């Protein structure tokens, strides 16, 4: 079976590719920059293809012999401020994906969304993720078998959560001002999530389903950062910011290169990323962080 993984070079994609390479699949990963991602070629049989996936013709060509398409493309921040970037990467890409599935008769699609994704959510991120998901299921279910994954925040080696705070603490070692400190998350381990996705590939019961996926424990953002500090063996003190100061921090930091924190992130944090998980996962942050955190 031929699998194409869009966004396969990212954090979750790397884990998935790693696990899939031991299975009997032929995996193709389109990327915007083949040169930068050449390390992927260590996986036997993996094809890494330079491609603009937003271009219908290019994506049709790259997915011509594809049986299963996995979409992991997503962004937490856009270049501008008006939501156009989110729209392009989330909702418009969903349309392009369904178009190529129809043209190439691809009968299996696994789509990565996010917990709280909703067309009327509080942020561009959640709204465009919600639009993408609705579109996938409303139109896609007519001609392909779709499964959508809606995880809370995902952790593991190379993630954007633990590693981001670990790096920030290196720069701000004494008093750490934390925005949205009370927002709650149910972090899910990337390997658990990847196993779940792989097990869904052939599972007919997962067709046309959307799964809310949460880890075994709920933590506030402050508790997560304090765990990072604990495992880094630092004495950094977390200073939770008020709502107004959190917003001010977001306004300021979104002007920095790479937008380490933005108003859109702040808006996403207005709702807790927790809920009833449709599957039980057991790996806790505490058991995994020590294995990959940089001290
Ligand atoms: N990580 C989490 O905590 C978490 C939680 C909930 C949901 N999710 C969702 O899970 C998916 C994967 O997350 P991740 O953490 O693995 O993301 P990631 O590390 O940022 O990787 C995303 C991948 O998407 C591709 N991509 C990014 N912007 C693109 C663009 N403008 N055009 C085309 N391709 C683009 C990139 O591939 P190339 O650079 O090779 O082109 C990149 O490897 C996303 O949809 C995300 O929203 C993640």
């Amino acid at each position: 079976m031929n699998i194409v993984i869009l966004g396969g070079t990212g954090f979750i994609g790397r884990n998935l590719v790693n696990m899939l390479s031991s299975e009997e699949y032929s995996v193709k990963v389109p990327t915007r920059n083949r040169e930068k991602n050449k390390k992927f070629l260590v996986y036997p049989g993996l094809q890494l293809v330079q491609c603009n996936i937003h271009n219908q013709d290019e994506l049709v060509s790259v997915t011509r012999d594809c049986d299963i398409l996995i979409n992991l493309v997503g962004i937490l921040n856009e270049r501008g401020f008006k939501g156009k970037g989110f729209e392009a990467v989330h909702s418009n890409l969903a349309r392009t994906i369904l178009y190529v599935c129809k043209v190439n008769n691809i009968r299996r699609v696994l789509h990565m969304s996010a917990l709280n994704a909703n067309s009327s959510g509080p942020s561009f991120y959640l709204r465009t993720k919600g639009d993408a998901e609705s579109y996938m299921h409303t139109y896609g279910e007519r001609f392909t078998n779709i499964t959508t994954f809606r995880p809370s925040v995902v952790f593991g080696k190379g993630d954007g959560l633990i590693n981001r705070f670990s790096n920030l603490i290196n720069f701000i070692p004494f008093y750490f001002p934390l925005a949205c400190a009370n927002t709650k998350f149910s972090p899910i381990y990337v390997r658990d999530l990847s196993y779940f996705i792989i097990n869904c590939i052939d599972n007919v019961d997962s067709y046309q389903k959307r799964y809310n996926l949460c880890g075994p424990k709920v933590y506030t953002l402050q508790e997560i950062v304090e765990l990072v500090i604990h495992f880094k063996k630092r004495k950094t003190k977390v200073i939770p910011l008020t709502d107004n100061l959190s917003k001010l921090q977001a306004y300021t930091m979104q002007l920095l290169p790479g937008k380490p924190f933005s108003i859109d992130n702040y808006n996403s944090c207005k709702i807790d990323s927790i809920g009833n998980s449709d599957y039980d996962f057991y790996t806790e942050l505490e058991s995994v962080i020590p294995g990959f955190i940089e001290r």
Side-chain angles (χ1 to χ4, degrees), residues 7 9-13 31-32 37 53-54 72-75 89 112-114 125 129 151-154:
T9 58
F11 162 57
I12 296 171
T31 173
R32 289 167 297 174
N37 290 300
I53 57 172
H54 304 288
L72 301 175
V73 175
I75 52 171
V89 174
M112 183 64 79
S113 186
Y125 173 78
K129 279 281 190 191
S152 179
V153 68
V154 186

Side-chain angles (χ1 to χ4, degrees), residues 3-293:
I3 302 192
V4 171
I5 309 182
L6 308 180
T9 58
F11 162 57
I12 296 171
R14 288 192 297 274
N15 279 274
L16 206 56
V17 166
N18 187 307
M19 289 184 187
L20 280 171
S21 64
S22 57
E23 310 257 341
E24 284 175 4
Y25 294 111
S26 151
V27 180
K28 190 190 273 185
V29 175
T31 173
R32 289 167 297 174
N33 192 333
R34 189 176 187 277
E35 193 56 35
K36 196 177 109 193
N37 290 300
K38 258 183 157 173
K39 54 186 176 294
F40 270 77
L41 296 170
V42 293
Y43 298 110
L46 182 127
Q47 293 180 65
L48 189 65
V49 193
Q50 180 102 14
C51 174
N52 173 8
I53 57 172
H54 304 288
N55 179 300
Q56 284 188 350
D57 296 338
E58 282 193 45
L59 197 58
V60 165
S61 163
V62 133
T63 57
R64 187 143 285 139
D65 51 359
C66 167
D67 304 297
I68 301 157
L69 188 147
I70 303 182
N71 176 30
L72 301 175
V73 175
I75 52 171
L76 274 178
N77 278 305
E78 58 175 2
R79 279 224 187 98
F81 298 94
K82 292 183 176 162
K84 292 286 169 216
F86 286 109
E87 242 173 76
V89 174
H90 298 154
S91 16
N92 295 351
L93 181 62
R95 288 184 176 79
T96 310
I97 288 171
L98 287 188
Y99 171 80
V100 304
C101 286
K102 197 152 199 192
V103 172
N104 285 333
N105 196 25
I106 299 168
R107 306 301 300 274
R108 186 76 180 107
V109 176
L110 297 104
H111 172 68
M112 183 64 79
S113 186
L115 204 64
N116 295 331
N118 187 318
S119 299
S120 51
S123 62
F124 288 126
Y125 173 78
L126 292 173
R127 284 197 291 277
T128 53
K129 279 281 190 191
D131 289 346
E133 205 184 301
S134 299
Y135 192 79
M136 282 282 185
H137 285 269
T138 308
Y139 296 101
E141 285 184 13
R142 295 174 190 175
F143 55 88
T144 187
N145 298 307
I146 304 196
T147 304
T148 287
F149 307 97
R150 295 166 49 89
S152 179
V153 68
V154 186
F155 67 94
K157 194 174 176 205
D159 67 16
L161 173 75
I162 304 302
N163 288 294
R164 172 176 297 216
F165 284 115
S166 174
N167 291 334
L168 283 171
I169 285 157
N170 292 339
F171 286 103
I172 314 168
F174 302 114
Y175 293 97
F176 190 87
L178 182 66
C180 310
N182 291 324
T183 304
K184 294 189 181 88
F185 296 89
S186 302
I188 171 170
Y189 184 37
V190 67
R191 289 186 71 84
D192 291 348
L193 175 63
S194 302
Y195 273 124
F196 185 76
I197 294 172
I198 292 171
N199 284 333
C200 281
I201 292 176
D202 291 329
N203 180 357
V204 179
D205 290 341
S206 72
Y207 290 2
Q208 326 305 22
K209 294 258 170 66
R210 311 183 197 198
Y211 293 109
N212 284 340
L213 302 172
C214 296
K217 273 170 80 172
V218 172
Y219 306 76
T220 63
L221 188 59
Q222 179 166 353
E223 286 168 341
I224 293 176
V225 175
E226 285 174 346
L227 267 182
V228 173
I229 292 166
H230 169 77
F231 285 115
K232 281 173 81 72
K233 299 191 194 307
R234 300 291 174 90
K235 295 210 157 48
T236 313
K237 182 149 179 40
V238 175
I239 311 292
L241 297 180
T242 61
D243 188 51
N244 279 340
L245 284 176
S246 297
K247 208 169 182 176
L248 183 66
Q249 191 190 67
Y251 270 119
T252 317
M253 289 179 82
Q254 71 179 3
L255 302 175
L256 299 176
K259 282 195 188 179
F261 186 55
S262 68
I263 282 292
D264 206 68
N265 301 150
Y266 162 84
N267 285 335
S268 291
C269 285
K270 282 182 181 163
I271 28 178
D272 293 326
S273 186
I274 57 175
N276 290 332
S277 186
D278 289 315
Y279 190 80
D280 291 335
F281 298 98
Y282 298 100
T283 314
E284 296 177 359
L285 270 178
E286 291 87 334
S287 63
V288 174
I289 297 184
F292 69 84
I293 200 158

